């Protein structure tokens, strides 16, 4: 296998597949998707590949961890179609998304640093809910606008236990106090970080109960690790893509 990849010898689909733990059907699928250049054919109609196809496969598989399958496919398709600038644009967009995700993480950590050391006590049974005009009180529409989401999303988060707004006694509208706004902001940031609602709910519940940041420390460390892994994977993918571009010529 190693000798074939370094030479101009013709390769069978199985030769490409074995070196990467893939099936021959996957190799054919990659060719049909434009990830690999079109294969040559023998007089009997069998596909044949070369070291160029092997380079394309290495580049694609290296791009996937950093950019995702869909974007990696689009990058390779653009290169194979001669639209190299389009491929570079896709790569730039992935890097921009990674930077945005890093900024999101920074915003989450900044928001967490602003958490009060204790949680305000829950109103007792039959107690009068705070007025809308109280500190931090806001309705669902303005809060949704502030976060850039739909009011329906806030209602969904409420059903998932991420926040507990009270009702205005006069209008029946939901009113979000400062703690609710904080929880909504944290939920929004964590959702952008890739966390599911059933992962976020216990974190916020623990923050409420503990009045501290410890419950989120492990999640933030994991988030940092995943972003770093993506960044490094992008470097690996760039190196393999550059090698393929030189080979593609």
């Amino acid at each position: 296998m190693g000798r074939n990849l370094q030479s101009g010898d013709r390769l069978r689909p199985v030769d490409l597949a074995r070196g990467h733990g893939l099936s021959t059907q996957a190799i054919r699928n990659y060719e049909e998707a434009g990830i690999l250049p079109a294969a040559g054919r023998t007089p009997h109609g069998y596909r044949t590949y070369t070291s160029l196809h092997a380079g394309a496969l290495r580049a694609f598989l290296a791009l996937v961890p950093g950019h995702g399958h869909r974007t990696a496919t689009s990058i390779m398709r653009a290169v194979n179609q001669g639209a190299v600038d389009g491929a570079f644009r896709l790569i730039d967009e992935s890097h921009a998304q990674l930077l945005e995700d890093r900024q999101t993480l920074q915003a989450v950590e900044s928001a967490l640093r602003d958490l009060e050391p204790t949680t305000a006590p829950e109103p007792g049974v039959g107690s009068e809910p705070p007025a809308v005009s109280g500190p931090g009180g806001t309705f669902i529409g303005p809060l949704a606008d502030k976060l850039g989401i739909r009011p329906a999303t806030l209602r969904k988060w409420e059903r998932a236990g991420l926040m507990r707004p009270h009702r205005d006694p006069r209008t029946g509208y939901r009113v979000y106090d400062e703690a609710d706004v904080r929880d909504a902001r944290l939920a929004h940031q964590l959702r952008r970080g890739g966390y599911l609602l059933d992962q976020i709910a216990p974190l916020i519940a623990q923050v409420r109960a503990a009045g501290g940041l410890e419950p989120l420390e492990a999640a933030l460390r994991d988030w940092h690790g995943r972003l770093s892994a993506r960044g490094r994977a992008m470097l690996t993918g760039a190196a393999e893509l550059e090698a393929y571009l030189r080979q593609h010529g």
Side-chain angles (χ1 to χ4, degrees), residues 201-214:
L203 294 175
I204 291 182
Q206 290 177 50
V207 169
R208 288 185 193 136
L213 308 184
E214 292 80 4

Side-chain angles (χ1 to χ4, degrees), residues 49-94:
Y49 299 100
T50 67
S51 60
L52 180 66
H53 297 89
L57 182 59
R58 286 194 300 270
F60 171 71
L61 295 177
L63 288 167
V64 169
H67 299 272
H69 192 282
R70 178 179 298 180
T71 299
T73 297
S74 298
I75 291 170
M76 294 303 299
R77 186 182 294 127
V79 169
N80 290 328
Q81 292 174 348
V84 178
D85 284 345
F88 292 159
R89 178 182 56 79
L90 292 168
I91 292 171
D92 290 344
E93 289 175 353
S94 277

Side-chain angles (χ1 to χ4, degrees), residues 154-174:
L154 285 173
R155 289 192 287 268
K156 180 179 179 180
W157 292 355
E158 180 184 344
R159 291 193 296 271
L162 305 189
M163 61 202 66
R164 296 171 290 187
H166 63 271
R167 297 279 183 164
D168 183 274
R170 295 165 297 177
T171 66
Y173 294 155
R174 290 174 174 83

Side-chain angles (χ1 to χ4, degrees), residues 34-179:
I35 294 168
L36 306 181
R41 296 281 182 166
T42 68
H44 297 287
Y46 295 112
R47 288 178 170 86
T48 62
Y49 299 100
T50 67
S51 60
L52 180 66
H53 297 89
L57 182 59
R58 286 194 300 270
F60 171 71
L61 295 177
L63 288 167
V64 169
H67 299 272
H69 192 282
R70 178 179 298 180
T71 299
T73 297
S74 298
I75 291 170
M76 294 303 299
R77 186 182 294 127
V79 169
N80 290 328
Q81 292 174 348
V84 178
D85 284 345
F88 292 159
R89 178 182 56 79
L90 292 168
I91 292 171
D92 290 344
E93 289 175 353
S94 277
H95 281 281
Q97 182 62 59
L98 178 59
L99 176 59
E100 182 178 339
D101 290 344
R102 289 189 185 280
Q103 292 170 336
T104 298
L105 174 55
Q106 185 178 10
V108 170
E109 291 176 323
S110 177
L112 291 176
R113 284 194 296 268
D114 293 337
L115 283 177
E116 297 180 358
T118 58
T119 303
E122 294 289 333
V125 178
S127 63
E128 184 72 11
V132 176
S133 58
T138 185
F139 290 122
I140 191 170
L143 178 57
D145 289 341
K146 181 178 180 181
L147 296 176
I149 60 178
R150 298 179 302 166
T153 300
L154 285 173
R155 289 192 287 268
K156 180 179 179 180
W157 292 355
E158 180 184 344
R159 291 193 296 271
L162 305 189
M163 61 202 66
R164 296 171 290 187
H166 63 271
R167 297 279 183 164
D168 183 274
R170 295 165 297 177
T171 66
Y173 294 155
R174 290 174 174 83
V175 179
Y176 297 81
D177 61 20
E178 290 179 349

